[in-house]
Amino acid sequence: QSYPESLLLASKGDWVNFDILVQENMSHPKLPPVGDRKQARKLNEKALAKKMSDPSAIGMKEQANVLDPADAEIADNLGLVLRVNSKVPESEKQLLKVVTIWPNRASAWANLGETLSILGKDELAIGAFVAAYRVSKKPDKVLEAYVRIAANENENESTKINLVSAMRKINKLK
């Protein structure tokens, strides 16, 4: 598995070069072609009405992503639904694509952190969690979510441990 440079920089804590790379990617984005946004959004809404753990939501999200591959929210949601339905390697692949195309999407970084935690890729997961905080327009909300997830007894143990490590790193950045 090869990882995007932004994730490798985040996992090393190289925030100067991470920020430069994110800025460059946002200045000159390499976005997929815009598809049928209206139809894709309709299908995405239908999928959102289902429980995340409903396997039929995967097919709907995949179809919505095909209809409009340039929709960051749909692409991110697909990665989340794949993870919730225990398709963790597929989730990793999808979310790596999302953070590469849209490196300023905090939710994708956080979702990637959870997926990498489940896969036991702890340093990368911690880097992804900190990256979510760094790119977020509402970093305090990110920290609130991390505290809530880390305290959730039903959450994956590796995710909780990696979130605590990420929060320690974030506190050092402040």
Side-chain angles (χ1 to χ4, degrees), residues 71-90:
D71 190 310
E73 181 180 347
I74 291 172
D76 187 4
N77 286 344
L78 174 57
L80 173 60
V81 169
L82 286 165
R83 185 184 73 242
V84 168
N85 283 278
S86 301
K87 296 186 177 296
V88 182
E90 295 90 336

Side-chain angles (χ1 to χ4, degrees), residues 128-139:
F129 286 135
V130 179
Y133 173 83
R134 288 198 59 92
V135 302
S136 178
K137 292 180 178 105
K138 297 179 180 175

Side-chain angles (χ1 to χ4, degrees), residues 13-32:
D14 185 348
W15 300 114
V16 170
N17 287 315
F18 174 86
D19 292 343
I20 291 168
L21 184 62
V22 168
Q23 201 56 39
E24 284 174 1
N25 284 355
M26 295 316 300
S27 299
H28 307 291
K30 296 175 181 119
L31 301 175

